[in-house]
Amino acid sequence: MDKEFSNKINILKALAILLVVSGHLEFSLFGMFSPYSFQLALFFFISGYLFNDKYLNDVSTFIKRRVKSLLVPYFLYNTFYLGVTILIARLTGKFWGQPISLKNFFITPFLNGHQFDLSCPLWFVTQLFITMIVFLFLFRVLQKSYNNKIFHLTVFAILGFFAIPLSKIITIDPITLIIIRTMFSLFFVYLGYYYRNFIENKIDIFTLKWAGVIITLQSVLWLFNRDYDPEHGIGLSYVLVWARFDQQLIVPIITALTGIWASLLVLKLIYPYVKDSKFFYYMGDTTYHIMANHLLVMYIITAIFLYINGIPIQERANHDIYWIYNPIQTTYLYFVLTMVISTYSGVALKQLKKKFFPDL
């Protein structure tokens, strides 16, 4: 992997995690591209973009690497947040999570990942693991049955588009929830693979005509957007973890596609200016740790605000996990502090791992 390729991937991952954190603070970095409308699809896209064909013939190595890179740190964090949640419960009188049990520690992570509120963004990690394993086996079958890129794209597109109507006609239980999320995410994994292998260096999708089409399409999509008034529904946004797509059928897929295009355009525009930025490199290199820790950082910032203003810490327990103190004035301060603290804590954790657990 050459340096430029690695840098671009890191910056794209940095953009994706910036979008996740800003979404949890309820504002959008990309204006008309709503929070929650595409950032998770972007992460799946990146995973497909990075998929190496060699694993199609080396399944065991692929699974071992995914277990090591995704599941091992996940359960280390799960243990850490078990302790943190117990500690906070003693301070605030509220247990931020589900009851402690073997099922909630080992099984719930693969069902919805909300066993502990402070680490709930990590639900994406276990879903990514499931999606990538299914992708590998399905892609192997498709290549052996009919090795044609358009055929493959069609199959994955059908899975992605059908996931939304399927969520409306079947009973949502823990198993069907996994099925719907996996169907939806498989499409974007293959799209990332397809983009890198058949589009990136062959078709210029960043011309003025393309930009005009995307902006016009997103403007039309905005007619369906109700995010500025939550009482009217979730609009362009969707809640993939719970397969909540509101009344939409194809809008979540389309707005995810336009959001991914916008992210790739932003990458193209800013790369010359940030390619040598250590902070962007660190951010892209520590997305796992930022995903795991940003709610805890926000929780601590809120506790400090409460202390400064003489408000008992127990007040925090009266709100949901995403609540922040005085959001009109503090949102952007939260955003900056959260990104800086969670990024550099991630760097420190990676250095500690390299020093003390190099084989982990």
Side-chain angles (χ1 to χ4, degrees):
M1 185 182 295
D2 62 55
K3 186 174 185 298
E4 182 176 357
F5 178 85
S6 178
N7 284 347
K8 285 185 175 180
I9 289 299
N10 261 343
I11 293 169
L12 188 58
K13 288 165 65 180
L15 282 173
I17 199 64
L18 283 167
L19 289 161
V20 168
V21 176
S22 63
H24 286 160
L25 288 167
E26 298 187 358
F27 75 94
S28 174
L29 288 178
F30 287 4
M32 66 196 303
F33 298 88
S34 305
Y36 298 106
S37 67
F38 70 95
Q39 52 263 59
L40 293 179
L42 176 59
F43 268 113
F44 287 118
F45 178 90
I46 294 170
S47 298
Y49 184 92
L50 292 172
F51 181 80
N52 194 317
D53 283 329
K54 70 179 182 181
Y55 293 121
L56 291 169
N57 298 309
D58 192 1
V59 173
S60 62
T61 298
F62 182 81
I63 294 175
K64 288 177 183 177
R65 290 191 174 185
R66 297 293 80 76
V67 168
K68 184 177 180 180
S69 64
L70 295 176
L71 296 189
V72 170
Y74 182 95
F75 281 100
L76 289 174
Y77 266 123
N78 211 31
T79 303
F80 170 74
Y81 276 103
L82 170 61
V84 169
T85 303
I86 292 172
L87 175 62
I88 291 177
R90 292 181 178 180
L91 296 174
T92 66
K94 179 177 180 178
F95 188 83
W96 292 87
Q98 299 184 16
I100 298 174
S101 68
L102 289 176
K103 176 189 175 184
N104 282 335
F105 191 87
F106 291 106
I107 306 300
T108 300
F110 294 94
L111 303 179
N112 59 56
H114 279 58
Q115 63 278 5
F116 305 119
D117 292 1
L118 284 167
S119 63
C120 65
L122 283 180
W123 75 268
F124 170 80
V125 171
T126 46
Q127 180 59 55
L128 178 62
F129 176 80
I130 294 169
T131 297
M132 293 308 298
I133 299 302
V134 173
F135 174 77
L136 175 66
F137 284 101
L138 179 56
F139 198 14
R140 279 167 53 91
V141 170
L142 290 175
Q143 284 208 326
K144 289 180 180 179
S145 61
Y146 185 39
N147 192 9
N148 178 279
K149 62 183 180 182
I150 301 301
F151 171 68
H152 299 163
L153 180 61
T154 301
V155 171
F156 283 107
I158 290 172
L159 287 173
F161 276 88
F162 187 63
I164 301 173
L166 180 63
S167 70
K168 301 177 186 304
I169 62 176
I170 65 173
T171 301
I172 299 297
D173 58 35
I175 301 303
T176 56
L177 194 57
I178 294 172
I179 292 171
I180 291 166
R181 291 198 309 247
T182 303
M183 289 172 60
F184 185 88
S185 55
L186 280 170
F187 171 54
F188 293 101
V189 171
Y190 185 75
L191 192 66
Y193 175 87
Y194 189 91
Y195 174 77
R196 181 182 178 186
N197 289 278
F198 307 116
I199 295 178
E200 186 174 29
N201 297 316
K202 300 175 179 65
I203 303 172
D204 184 4
I205 63 171
F206 303 110
T207 63
L208 285 176
K209 287 184 179 180
W210 269 93
V213 169
I214 296 296
I215 292 173
T216 301
L217 178 58
Q218 191 67 17
S219 299
V220 173
L221 288 174
W222 195 261
L223 294 173
F224 299 95
N225 190 35
R226 297 185 292 277
D227 298 310
Y228 45 78
D229 188 352
E231 292 182 0
H232 293 163
I234 59 177
L236 293 186
S237 300
Y238 51 88
V239 187
L240 185 60
V241 62
W242 306 118
R244 255 196 74 201
F245 300 104
D246 203 21
Q247 301 304 312
Q248 309 295 356
L249 286 175
I250 64 171
V251 168
I253 292 283
I254 298 173
T255 195
L257 293 173
T258 59
I260 290 171
W261 180 91
S263 302
L264 294 173
L265 176 62
V266 170
L267 172 66
K268 182 181 179 69
L269 294 175
I270 70 171
Y271 178 73
Y273 304 100
V274 300
K275 64 180 180 180
D276 298 318
S277 167
K278 285 188 176 180
F279 182 65
F280 264 87
Y281 172 81
Y282 290 151
M283 199 189 309
D285 195 46
T286 59
T287 53
Y288 197 122
H289 297 292
I290 297 170
M291 188 81 79
N293 296 321
H294 70 275
L295 288 187
L296 176 60
V297 173
M298 289 162 56
Y299 192 101
I300 293 171
I301 294 171
T302 299
I304 293 171
F305 272 123
L306 293 178
Y307 176 78
I308 291 173
N309 289 275
I311 302 172
I313 187 64
Q314 287 77 11
E315 173 63 24
R316 183 65 186 81
N318 296 326
H319 307 275
D320 67 29
I321 197 63
Y322 298 102
W323 181 78
I324 64 175
Y325 178 78
N326 193 9
I328 294 177
Q329 289 185 300
T330 65
T331 291
Y332 299 106
L333 180 60
Y334 269 92
F335 181 61
V336 172
L337 290 177
T338 299
M339 293 311 307
V340 171
I341 294 170
S342 56
T343 295
Y344 282 105
S345 63
V347 172
L349 287 168
K350 287 176 73 74
Q351 290 175 344
L352 287 173
K353 173 184 173 297
K354 185 177 181 180
K355 182 177 181 179
F356 296 106
F357 307 100
D359 298 324
L360 187 62

